Amino acid sequence: MGEVNLEHVTKRYQDVTAVDDMNLEIEDGEFVTLVGPSGCGKSTTLETIAGLTKPTEGKITIAGREVTNLPPKDRGIAMVFQNIALFPHMDVYDNISFGLRLRDYDKDEIDRRVDKAADIVQLEGMLDRMPDEMSGGQRQRVAIARAIVREPEVFLMDEPLANLDAKLRVHMRTELQRLHKELDATIVYVTHDQAEAMTMSSRIAVINKGELQQFAPPLECYNAPANLFVAGFIGSPSMNLIEGTVDESGLDLTDYHIDFDPGQLDGVGPGDHVTLGVRPEDVYLVEDADKVAHPSGRIDAQTDVLEPMGDEIFVYLLTGEQEMAGGGMDAEAGDAHQLLMSVDPDKELEVDSDVEVVLDSENVHLFDTGTGEAITHDLRFAATETEPTGTEAEGDD
Ligand code: ADP
């Protein structure tokens, strides 16, 4: 069926390596999203699967068959692009059936496929409309129906929602999930929008500079990002990332100290440069510390900016020099560092006030600042043990 495998796929354009040694094993029926910033190599990766671009190195198989050197039409795929290229002088029926008519399918078979596709994308009753009589979302559904009638094993979609307005994009996300369920086909989808990737996919492939960073279910990328890039890219607003240095009793983050026993983390010792990562929802006001099973020590901070979102308030906190300056509108930001916290919408907070916050140690991540690789996603065990003197250590001195 529709498995897609990329083995060591590399694509170079002169001195640009658009895709760098990409390995992906996509299972039959999966909805996999390639996500990453603009220019990271998502489209090129998809184009190598489609056969629109030939990889410089590597091998691609679709449904167990090597397709590396096959033309697109022989790969069992259908593509949907960002630009919805419908023929303006043809009605919906003719647009959807165009490819089938070119291939001389018989009329009954074409009708059967068009009716079924129109039903799936909910365009029944609109088959005689012209493209200029349709909304952007409807036109995109025609483009998807045109892919469906090919009955491919794999759908390849490159930012198909990018040209739609924000509300329609959110609506089409649910439509695409329904479509995936009904078609029971493999979908490989490209987007730069991490929210789209998070909501629709069975797994997401996070790409940066042509290299695969993590290939995992969305929540795994969110809860256990493999490295600093994934930590910063997945999640909106982004995870707080704060650089520091490990010392004998934990982590020195310049403005405050997070206590834990570094001896409990493999390969980490005093002097190591690490980056602490904590999501805004894992930062709590001290008064709410009882909601957290394993809070860190307290951190002094000052509220800087409040953003009420309706269902939560984003609170931009400053730690360090700012709060030492005594607060107030005229306080110098100095060397202050920002820490973003999310609190319940009913919290009454004032700008420029002193607060104490704690971190939920179970959701504190540490990364090696040099390599960017994750060290741990849970500091709980270490943070709560204030005097971890081991009995075996006795007698050493
Ligand atoms: P994305 O889809 O993530 O935005 P692309 O796959 O389009 O990224 O591009 C990845 C990199 O390859 C970019 O640096 C881009 O400029 C480069 N690139 C893509 N296509 C070509 C091409 N035909 N010729 C030269 N460079 C290209």
Short mmCIF file of all heavy atoms in Angstrom, two decimals, residues 30-79:
data_model
loop_
_atom_site.label_atom_id
_atom_site.label_comp_id
_atom_site.label_asym_id
_atom_site.label_seq_id
_atom_site.Cartn_x
_atom_site.Cartn_y
_atom_site.Cartn_z
N GLU A 30 -0.64 7.02 6.91
CA GLU A 30 -0.25 8.09 7.83
C GLU A 30 -0.55 9.46 7.23
O GLU A 30 -0.56 9.63 6.00
CB GLU A 30 1.25 8.03 8.12
CG GLU A 30 1.60 7.23 9.36
CD GLU A 30 2.97 7.61 9.89
OE1 GLU A 30 3.97 7.20 9.29
OE2 GLU A 30 3.03 8.31 10.91
N PHE A 31 -0.73 10.45 8.10
CA PHE A 31 -0.77 11.85 7.69
C PHE A 31 0.50 12.47 8.26
O PHE A 31 0.58 12.74 9.45
CB PHE A 31 -2.02 12.53 8.26
CG PHE A 31 -2.33 13.89 7.68
CD1 PHE A 31 -3.64 14.21 7.34
CD2 PHE A 31 -1.35 14.85 7.48
CE1 PHE A 31 -3.96 15.46 6.81
CE2 PHE A 31 -1.65 16.09 6.95
CZ PHE A 31 -2.96 16.40 6.61
N VAL A 32 1.49 12.60 7.39
CA VAL A 32 2.79 13.11 7.85
C VAL A 32 2.97 14.53 7.34
O VAL A 32 2.72 14.82 6.16
CB VAL A 32 3.93 12.22 7.35
CG1 VAL A 32 5.28 12.92 7.48
CG2 VAL A 32 3.95 10.91 8.14
N THR A 33 3.36 15.42 8.22
CA THR A 33 3.58 16.81 7.82
C THR A 33 5.06 17.15 7.90
O THR A 33 5.71 16.87 8.91
CB THR A 33 2.77 17.76 8.73
OG1 THR A 33 1.39 17.41 8.60
CG2 THR A 33 2.96 19.21 8.32
N LEU A 34 5.58 17.72 6.81
CA LEU A 34 6.94 18.25 6.81
C LEU A 34 6.82 19.71 7.20
O LEU A 34 6.14 20.47 6.52
CB LEU A 34 7.57 18.13 5.42
CG LEU A 34 7.43 16.79 4.68
CD1 LEU A 34 8.14 16.85 3.32
CD2 LEU A 34 8.01 15.64 5.51
N VAL A 35 7.46 20.09 8.30
CA VAL A 35 7.30 21.45 8.79
C VAL A 35 8.66 22.04 9.12
O VAL A 35 9.58 21.32 9.52
CB VAL A 35 6.34 21.47 10.02
CG1 VAL A 35 6.95 20.79 11.23
CG2 VAL A 35 5.90 22.87 10.38
N GLY A 36 8.78 23.34 8.93
CA GLY A 36 10.02 24.03 9.24
C GLY A 36 9.95 25.42 8.63
O GLY A 36 9.03 25.72 7.87
N PRO A 37 10.93 26.26 8.95
CA PRO A 37 10.88 27.63 8.44
C PRO A 37 11.06 27.68 6.93
O PRO A 37 11.51 26.71 6.31
CB PRO A 37 12.05 28.32 9.15
CG PRO A 37 12.95 27.23 9.61
CD PRO A 37 12.10 26.01 9.79
N SER A 38 10.73 28.82 6.34
CA SER A 38 10.85 28.99 4.90
C SER A 38 12.30 28.72 4.46
O SER A 38 13.24 29.13 5.13
CB SER A 38 10.45 30.45 4.60
OG SER A 38 10.51 30.63 3.24
N GLY A 39 12.44 27.97 3.39
CA GLY A 39 13.77 27.67 2.86
C GLY A 39 14.47 26.49 3.49
O GLY A 39 15.62 26.20 3.19
N CYS A 40 13.76 25.75 4.37
CA CYS A 40 14.43 24.65 5.09
C CYS A 40 14.51 23.37 4.25
O CYS A 40 15.15 22.41 4.64
CB CYS A 40 13.75 24.37 6.43
SG CYS A 40 12.17 23.52 6.26
N GLY A 41 13.80 23.33 3.12
CA GLY A 41 13.90 22.15 2.26
C GLY A 41 12.64 21.29 2.23
O GLY A 41 12.65 20.19 1.68
N LYS A 42 11.53 21.79 2.77
CA LYS A 42 10.28 21.01 2.81
C LYS A 42 9.80 20.70 1.40
O LYS A 42 9.51 19.55 1.06
CB LYS A 42 9.15 21.79 3.52
CG LYS A 42 9.47 22.31 4.87
CD LYS A 42 8.31 23.14 5.42
CE LYS A 42 8.06 24.46 4.73
NZ LYS A 42 9.07 25.49 4.96
N SER A 43 9.67 21.77 0.57
CA SER A 43 9.11 21.57 -0.77
C SER A 43 10.02 20.68 -1.61
O SER A 43 9.55 19.83 -2.36
CB SER A 43 8.91 22.90 -1.49
OG SER A 43 7.96 23.65 -0.81
N THR A 44 11.33 20.90 -1.46
CA THR A 44 12.26 20.08 -2.24
C THR A 44 12.11 18.61 -1.85
O THR A 44 12.11 17.73 -2.72
CB THR A 44 13.71 20.57 -2.03
OG1 THR A 44 13.75 21.97 -2.30
CG2 THR A 44 14.67 19.84 -2.94
N THR A 45 11.95 18.34 -0.56
CA THR A 45 11.76 16.96 -0.12
C THR A 45 10.50 16.38 -0.77
O THR A 45 10.52 15.27 -1.32
CB THR A 45 11.62 16.89 1.42
OG1 THR A 45 12.77 17.51 2.00
CG2 THR A 45 11.50 15.46 1.91
N LEU A 46 9.41 17.15 -0.75
CA LEU A 46 8.15 16.68 -1.34
C LEU A 46 8.31 16.47 -2.85
O LEU A 46 7.79 15.49 -3.41
CB LEU A 46 7.03 17.69 -1.06
CG LEU A 46 5.62 17.16 -1.25
CD1 LEU A 46 5.24 16.28 -0.06
CD2 LEU A 46 4.60 18.28 -1.37
N GLU A 47 9.05 17.39 -3.48
CA GLU A 47 9.24 17.27 -4.93
C GLU A 47 10.06 16.03 -5.30
O GLU A 47 9.86 15.45 -6.37
CB GLU A 47 9.91 18.54 -5.48
CG GLU A 47 8.93 19.70 -5.55
CD GLU A 47 9.63 21.05 -5.66
OE1 GLU A 47 10.85 21.09 -5.93
OE2 GLU A 47 8.94 22.08 -5.47
N THR A 48 10.97 15.62 -4.41
CA THR A 48 11.71 14.39 -4.72
C THR A 48 10.78 13.17 -4.62
O THR A 48 10.92 12.22 -5.37
CB THR A 48 12.94 14.17 -3.80
OG1 THR A 48 12.50 14.01 -2.46
CG2 THR A 48 13.95 15.28 -3.89
N ILE A 49 9.81 13.24 -3.70
CA ILE A 49 8.84 12.13 -3.59
C ILE A 49 7.94 12.13 -4.83
O ILE A 49 7.61 11.09 -5.39
CB ILE A 49 8.00 12.26 -2.30
CG1 ILE A 49 8.89 12.26 -1.05
CG2 ILE A 49 6.98 11.11 -2.21
CD1 ILE A 49 8.14 12.56 0.24
N ALA A 50 7.56 13.33 -5.27
CA ALA A 50 6.66 13.45 -6.42
C ALA A 50 7.33 13.09 -7.74
O ALA A 50 6.67 12.72 -8.70
CB ALA A 50 6.14 14.89 -6.51
N GLY A 51 8.67 13.22 -7.77
CA GLY A 51 9.37 12.99 -9.03
C GLY A 51 9.55 14.27 -9.83
O GLY A 51 9.93 14.24 -11.00
N LEU A 52 9.26 15.42 -9.22
CA LEU A 52 9.46 16.70 -9.91
C LEU A 52 10.90 17.16 -9.81
O LEU A 52 11.35 18.02 -10.55
CB LEU A 52 8.53 17.77 -9.30
CG LEU A 52 7.04 17.46 -9.36
CD1 LEU A 52 6.23 18.48 -8.58
CD2 LEU A 52 6.57 17.40 -10.81
N THR A 53 11.63 16.59 -8.83
CA THR A 53 13.04 16.90 -8.64
C THR A 53 13.76 15.58 -8.44
O THR A 53 13.27 14.73 -7.69
CB THR A 53 13.23 17.76 -7.36
OG1 THR A 53 12.57 18.99 -7.55
CG2 THR A 53 14.68 18.01 -7.07
N LYS A 54 14.91 15.43 -9.08
CA LYS A 54 15.66 14.18 -8.92
C LYS A 54 16.68 14.38 -7.80
O LYS A 54 17.45 15.35 -7.83
CB LYS A 54 16.37 13.85 -10.24
CG LYS A 54 16.89 12.44 -10.29
CD LYS A 54 17.41 12.14 -11.69
CE LYS A 54 18.07 10.80 -11.83
NZ LYS A 54 18.83 10.31 -10.74
N PRO A 55 16.71 13.51 -6.80
CA PRO A 55 17.69 13.71 -5.74
C PRO A 55 19.13 13.54 -6.25
O PRO A 55 19.36 12.76 -7.18
CB PRO A 55 17.35 12.62 -4.71
CG PRO A 55 16.44 11.68 -5.37
CD PRO A 55 15.85 12.35 -6.57
N THR A 56 20.05 14.27 -5.65
CA THR A 56 21.47 14.13 -6.02
C THR A 56 21.97 12.77 -5.55
O THR A 56 22.76 12.12 -6.23
CB THR A 56 22.30 15.26 -5.34
OG1 THR A 56 21.59 16.48 -5.46
CG2 THR A 56 23.66 15.39 -5.98
N GLU A 57 21.51 12.39 -4.36
CA GLU A 57 21.86 11.06 -3.82
C GLU A 57 20.64 10.52 -3.11
O GLU A 57 19.76 11.26 -2.72
CB GLU A 57 22.98 11.18 -2.77
CG GLU A 57 24.36 11.42 -3.32
CD GLU A 57 25.29 11.97 -2.25
OE1 GLU A 57 25.14 11.58 -1.07
OE2 GLU A 57 26.15 12.79 -2.60
N GLY A 58 20.64 9.19 -2.91
CA GLY A 58 19.60 8.59 -2.10
C GLY A 58 18.57 7.84 -2.91
O GLY A 58 18.60 7.84 -4.15
N LYS A 59 17.66 7.19 -2.16
CA LYS A 59 16.71 6.29 -2.79
C LYS A 59 15.31 6.56 -2.24
O LYS A 59 15.15 6.80 -1.04
CB LYS A 59 17.16 4.86 -2.44
CG LYS A 59 16.32 3.76 -2.97
CD LYS A 59 17.00 2.43 -2.64
CE LYS A 59 15.99 1.30 -2.63
NZ LYS A 59 16.53 0.04 -2.17
N ILE A 60 14.32 6.50 -3.11
CA ILE A 60 12.93 6.72 -2.68
C ILE A 60 12.09 5.52 -3.10
O ILE A 60 12.15 5.09 -4.26
CB ILE A 60 12.36 8.01 -3.31
CG1 ILE A 60 13.17 9.21 -2.80
CG2 ILE A 60 10.88 8.18 -2.97
CD1 ILE A 60 12.97 10.46 -3.60
N THR A 61 11.33 4.98 -2.16
CA THR A 61 10.40 3.92 -2.53
C THR A 61 8.98 4.33 -2.13
O THR A 61 8.78 4.97 -1.11
CB THR A 61 10.74 2.56 -1.86
OG1 THR A 61 10.86 2.78 -0.45
CG2 THR A 61 12.03 1.96 -2.35
N ILE A 62 8.03 3.97 -2.99
CA ILE A 62 6.62 4.21 -2.70
C ILE A 62 5.91 2.87 -2.85
O ILE A 62 6.08 2.19 -3.87
CB ILE A 62 6.00 5.26 -3.65
CG1 ILE A 62 6.67 6.62 -3.43
CG2 ILE A 62 4.48 5.37 -3.42
CD1 ILE A 62 6.20 7.72 -4.38
N ALA A 63 5.16 2.50 -1.84
CA ALA A 63 4.43 1.22 -1.84
C ALA A 63 5.38 0.06 -2.17
O ALA A 63 5.04 -0.83 -2.95
CB ALA A 63 3.27 1.29 -2.84
N GLY A 64 6.56 0.11 -1.59
CA GLY A 64 7.51 -0.99 -1.73
C GLY A 64 8.26 -1.04 -3.05
O GLY A 64 9.06 -1.94 -3.29
N ARG A 65 8.04 -0.05 -3.91
CA ARG A 65 8.63 -0.06 -5.24
C ARG A 65 9.58 1.12 -5.36
O ARG A 65 9.23 2.25 -5.01
CB ARG A 65 7.48 0.13 -6.24
CG ARG A 65 7.75 -0.17 -7.68
CD ARG A 65 6.41 -0.25 -8.40
NE ARG A 65 5.64 0.97 -8.26
CZ ARG A 65 5.41 1.83 -9.24
NH1 ARG A 65 5.86 1.60 -10.46
NH2 ARG A 65 4.72 2.93 -9.06
N GLU A 66 10.79 0.88 -5.82
CA GLU A 66 11.71 2.02 -5.97
C GLU A 66 11.24 2.91 -7.10
O GLU A 66 10.98 2.46 -8.22
CB GLU A 66 13.15 1.56 -6.23
CG GLU A 66 14.01 2.79 -6.40
CD GLU A 66 15.51 2.60 -6.37
OE1 GLU A 66 15.98 1.46 -6.23
OE2 GLU A 66 16.20 3.62 -6.49
N VAL A 67 11.16 4.23 -6.80
CA VAL A 67 10.64 5.18 -7.81
C VAL A 67 11.65 6.28 -8.11
O VAL A 67 11.33 7.21 -8.86
CB VAL A 67 9.32 5.83 -7.33
CG1 VAL A 67 8.23 4.79 -7.13
CG2 VAL A 67 9.53 6.63 -6.05
N THR A 68 12.85 6.17 -7.55
CA THR A 68 13.83 7.27 -7.63
C THR A 68 13.96 7.85 -9.04
O THR A 68 14.07 9.05 -9.21
CB THR A 68 15.21 6.81 -7.13
OG1 THR A 68 15.01 5.98 -5.99
CG2 THR A 68 16.11 7.98 -6.77
N ASN A 69 13.92 6.98 -10.03
CA ASN A 69 14.11 7.48 -11.40
C ASN A 69 12.85 7.44 -12.26
O ASN A 69 12.91 7.63 -13.47
CB ASN A 69 15.23 6.68 -12.08
CG ASN A 69 16.56 6.93 -11.38
OD1 ASN A 69 16.94 8.08 -11.17
ND2 ASN A 69 17.23 5.87 -10.97
N LEU A 70 11.70 7.22 -11.62
CA LEU A 70 10.45 7.16 -12.39
C LEU A 70 9.85 8.55 -12.55
O LEU A 70 9.97 9.39 -11.66
CB LEU A 70 9.42 6.27 -11.69
CG LEU A 70 9.69 4.77 -11.60
CD1 LEU A 70 8.51 4.08 -10.94
CD2 LEU A 70 9.95 4.19 -12.98
N PRO A 71 9.16 8.81 -13.67
CA PRO A 71 8.46 10.10 -13.80
C PRO A 71 7.26 10.15 -12.86
O PRO A 71 6.75 9.11 -12.43
CB PRO A 71 8.01 10.09 -15.27
CG PRO A 71 7.97 8.66 -15.67
CD PRO A 71 9.00 7.95 -14.85
N PRO A 72 6.79 11.38 -12.55
CA PRO A 72 5.68 11.54 -11.60
C PRO A 72 4.47 10.65 -11.91
O PRO A 72 3.86 10.07 -11.02
CB PRO A 72 5.31 13.02 -11.72
CG PRO A 72 6.55 13.69 -12.21
CD PRO A 72 7.29 12.68 -13.05
N LYS A 73 4.13 10.54 -13.20
CA LYS A 73 2.88 9.84 -13.56
C LYS A 73 2.93 8.36 -13.23
O LYS A 73 1.90 7.71 -13.14
CB LYS A 73 2.54 10.07 -15.03
CG LYS A 73 3.51 9.42 -16.01
CD LYS A 73 3.02 9.65 -17.44
CE LYS A 73 3.96 9.08 -18.49
NZ LYS A 73 4.41 7.70 -18.31
N ASP A 74 4.13 7.81 -13.06
CA ASP A 74 4.24 6.37 -12.77
C ASP A 74 4.47 6.07 -11.30
O ASP A 74 4.87 4.97 -10.93
CB ASP A 74 5.40 5.78 -13.59
CG ASP A 74 5.15 5.89 -15.08
OD1 ASP A 74 3.97 5.98 -15.46
OD2 ASP A 74 6.14 5.93 -15.85
N ARG A 75 4.25 7.08 -10.43
CA ARG A 75 4.58 6.87 -9.02
C ARG A 75 3.38 6.56 -8.13
O ARG A 75 3.53 6.35 -6.93
CB ARG A 75 5.31 8.09 -8.46
CG ARG A 75 6.65 8.30 -9.11
CD ARG A 75 7.45 9.36 -8.39
NE ARG A 75 8.77 9.47 -9.00
CZ ARG A 75 9.87 9.88 -8.37
NH1 ARG A 75 9.80 10.23 -7.10
NH2 ARG A 75 11.02 9.94 -8.99
N GLY A 76 2.17 6.63 -8.68
CA GLY A 76 0.98 6.38 -7.85
C GLY A 76 0.70 7.49 -6.86
O GLY A 76 0.19 7.26 -5.77
N ILE A 77 1.07 8.72 -7.25
CA ILE A 77 0.86 9.86 -6.36
C ILE A 77 -0.05 10.89 -7.04
O ILE A 77 -0.19 10.88 -8.26
CB ILE A 77 2.20 10.56 -6.01
CG1 ILE A 77 2.99 10.89 -7.30
CG2 ILE A 77 3.07 9.67 -5.12
CD1 ILE A 77 3.19 12.31 -7.55
N ALA A 78 -0.64 11.77 -6.23
CA ALA A 78 -1.33 12.93 -6.78
C ALA A 78 -0.96 14.12 -5.92
O ALA A 78 -0.81 13.98 -4.70
CB ALA A 78 -2.84 12.72 -6.77
N MET A 79 -0.79 15.27 -6.56
CA MET A 79 -0.36 16.46 -5.81
C MET A 79 -1.42 17.53 -5.73
O MET A 79 -2.19 17.71 -6.67
CB MET A 79 0.88 17.06 -6.48
CG MET A 79 2.13 16.29 -6.19
SD MET A 79 3.62 17.27 -6.51
CE MET A 79 3.79 18.27 -5.05
#
